[in-house]
Amino acid sequence: MKQSFFTNNKLFMNKVIESLKENPLFLKYRTFLVPIISFLVCIILILFIIIPQIQDYLRSQSEEESLNGRIFQLTQKREVLESIDTDLYKSNLEMAMRVLPSDQDIPGAVGDLLVLLSSNRLRLVGISFSGGDFSLYGSKALVIKIDTEGDADSMKSFLSNMGDSIRIMRVGRIETSGDSTGGIIVSFDVAAFYDPIPVVSNSLDAPVALPTKEDLEFIKRIETAQDLGPDDLGSTTPLGKDNLFE
Amino acid sequence: MSKLLINLLPAEFAVYKKEKEKKLLIFNASVAVLIFMIILTAGVFFLGISKRLTINKLNKDLVKVEEEVGSLKDKEGLALILKSRLDKINTLTKSESSEVNVFFFLSSLLTSDIKVSNFITEKNSQVRIIGETTNTGSLERYINKLIDTKRTKGKITSAKLENLTRGTDNKIGFDLLITTAEITQAEALEQSKLAEEELENFERENE
């Protein structure tokens, strides 16, 4: 059965070839048959295989470059992260928290203020806290209203040394009035800054932002300042009339 | 003795032979082009496969590095928190208290015989100064200094004398409402230095 199928096919093919040999059109153009077929096959190969494959190759090339870049970036990030000294960073963070706490830390702020007041010879006569959150310079602040007694020099010294306190505080409203003894009563609004710890989310590809050299020097300065206290820090008190109130 | 060669073949045969050679050349060239194209296709295929294999390998490497970086996220979080806090501290450290700068700026303009009893910073960059003097000339000089834009560099936008009283003891009481522009610490310091120089000159002249 199988053999007869092939025999039939062979016979059919022989018949076709015989008829073609008798066909004058075939006889005339048979020389061009192979080049034409070759040309068509070439066109098919170029259009359907070579061009798509080259396009795919170019796409793959850019994909490979992007993958290589990403791997390089992540490898660098891994190396940077591995080099981080966790204990040192934790201690630096603690120090930074001392300067800018994550909560209002009222006792800490009052403690710092009392140190500043006493070192600048101002006597605290009243203290109150304004409720609510205040936002200044992009950070939250606890506003402490303090009433003090002293003299003009003490007040000027206090205003100048405010910037030298460990915790970041800024004087807002100032109100002064003379008292019966020749001294002055000064009321300040002091903003003690704090900043809640943010929810940390960083994409895998984002680079790690490490503290700069200046940041680390700043932390060292805080450590030193904490050991020294406000009296040992430099002051940039502007000069003017010696005593405003005399 | 030269040989004499005579082409006895008919001229049609030479033409036929030439045509046959031409046809053979076309045939061979087309087969060669076809073979070349097949080899080229195979080469392109091979390149594509090798590129795909490379990409697969890179993808595996990437997953591995991603896992390694992911396992260090605690350290990354710590670094991020520290950096963001230090950045905020930097911003806040550079900030200045405008009220303090205004206080030093205005106090440096005061003359020696003016006694201030109240200094109040109010909203909208306004400062109220309540004081007294025995010398009307001093008060005039102070007000002139305040409105001298060359001296204050335009930092005082207005000075309004809201109240002026004279007591039986010849003391002149005044209530000044001063509106200021943004004053920096450097400007306050500069004004103070100017005041110090003026004081030194005054003392030198008196000597």
Side-chain angles (χ1 to χ4, degrees), chain B:
Chain B
M1 204 173 142
S2 61
K3 283 180 185 174
L4 183 69
L5 292 169
I6 300 165
N7 188 2
L8 297 172
L9 288 169
E12 292 83 5
F13 185 78
V15 172
Y16 172 76
K17 199 181 167 189
K18 208 174 182 183
E19 212 164 88
K20 201 178 174 186
E21 275 171 3
K22 198 177 164 188
K23 281 174 185 173
L24 192 68
L25 185 72
I26 292 170
F27 179 84
N28 286 342
S30 27
V31 170
V33 168
L34 188 64
I35 289 167
F36 172 74
M37 288 311 290
I38 288 167
I39 290 168
L40 185 68
T41 310
V44 167
F45 251 125
F46 174 75
L47 269 179
I49 288 166
S50 86
K51 191 59 77 181
R52 248 167 258 138
L53 286 173
T54 312
I55 285 169
N56 282 347
K57 189 188 167 291
L58 286 175
N59 272 324
K60 277 179 192 167
D61 288 351
L62 181 67
V63 170
K64 197 182 159 197
V65 183
E66 277 177 349
E67 279 171 2
E68 283 170 355
V69 172
S71 69
L72 296 165
K73 65 180 177 189
D74 287 349
K75 279 187 173 185
E76 190 180 2
L78 184 64
L80 272 176
I81 290 173
L82 179 63
K83 181 65 186 160
S84 78
R85 194 144 294 260
L86 287 171
D87 286 346
K88 282 209 167 156
I89 289 171
N90 264 331
T91 312
L92 289 172
T93 312
K94 282 172 192 158
S95 68
E96 292 174 3
S97 167
S98 55
E99 283 83 356
V100 172
N101 293 339
V102 167
F103 171 80
F104 284 120
F105 190 92
L106 292 177
S107 64
S108 66
L109 293 170
L110 280 168
T111 46
S112 55
D113 42 9
I114 290 178
K115 187 184 171 189
V116 174
S117 58
N118 294 77
F119 181 98
I120 307 157
T121 55
E122 295 182 348
K123 286 179 181 172
N124 304 324
S125 306
Q126 287 187 322
V127 177
R128 186 175 293 280
I129 297 177
I130 301 169
E132 59 180 29
T133 180
T134 49
N135 186 350
T136 47
S138 289
L139 182 61
E140 198 184 336
R141 272 200 304 280
Y142 183 53
I143 292 169
N144 281 340
K145 273 188 189 175
L146 288 175
I147 58 171
D148 181 0
T149 49
K150 205 175 166 188
R151 167 80 192 243
T152 61
K153 290 182 177 165
K155 293 294 168 186
I156 292 169
T157 49
S158 78
K160 191 175 169 188
L161 188 60
E162 291 210 322
N163 196 14
L164 192 67
T165 54
R166 184 164 204 156
T168 48
D169 52 357
N170 268 345
K171 279 184 178 171
I172 299 156
F174 66 89
D175 182 350
L176 261 172
L177 186 66
I178 302 162
T179 310
T180 63
E182 189 69 35
I183 296 171
T184 63
Q185 194 180 18
E187 285 162 346
L189 273 166
E190 193 189 331
Q191 202 58 237
S192 300
K193 276 179 188 166
L194 210 63
E196 198 183 12
E197 280 170 21
E198 277 179 357
L199 190 69
E200 278 172 11
N201 289 340
F202 178 74
E203 281 169 359
R204 217 175 289 138
E205 279 169 18
N206 279 354
E207 278 170 12

Side-chain angles (χ1 to χ4, degrees), chain A residues 212-231:
Chain A
T212 58
K213 200 180 163 188
E214 288 78 24
D215 289 336
L216 297 174
E217 278 171 6
F218 174 75
I219 287 172
K220 266 189 183 171
R221 275 210 309 278
I222 304 165
E223 280 172 338
T224 320
Q226 201 176 23
D227 296 338
L228 291 173
D231 275 346

Side-chain angles (χ1 to χ4, degrees), chain A residues 93-101 112 165-169 192-194 218-219 222-223 226, chain B residues 85-86 89-90 92-93:
Chain A
L93 186 61
E94 271 174 34
M95 201 49 70
M97 288 289 192
R98 177 79 185 81
V99 180
L100 185 66
D112 285 350
S165 70
I166 302 291
R167 180 159 178 184
I168 301 178
M169 293 193 273
F193 292 99
Y194 68 96
F218 174 75
I219 287 172
I222 304 165
E223 280 172 338
Q226 201 176 23
Chain B
R85 194 144 294 260
L86 287 171
I89 289 171
N90 264 331
L92 289 172
T93 312

Side-chain angles (χ1 to χ4, degrees), chain A residues 6-25:
Chain A
F6 282 113
T7 321
N8 287 343
N9 254 354
K10 202 176 173 185
L11 285 171
F12 173 74
M13 287 301 290
N14 283 341
K15 264 188 188 174
V16 170
I17 289 165
E18 286 304 318
S19 65
L20 276 172
K21 277 182 179 172
E22 286 164 13
N23 190 334
L25 207 66

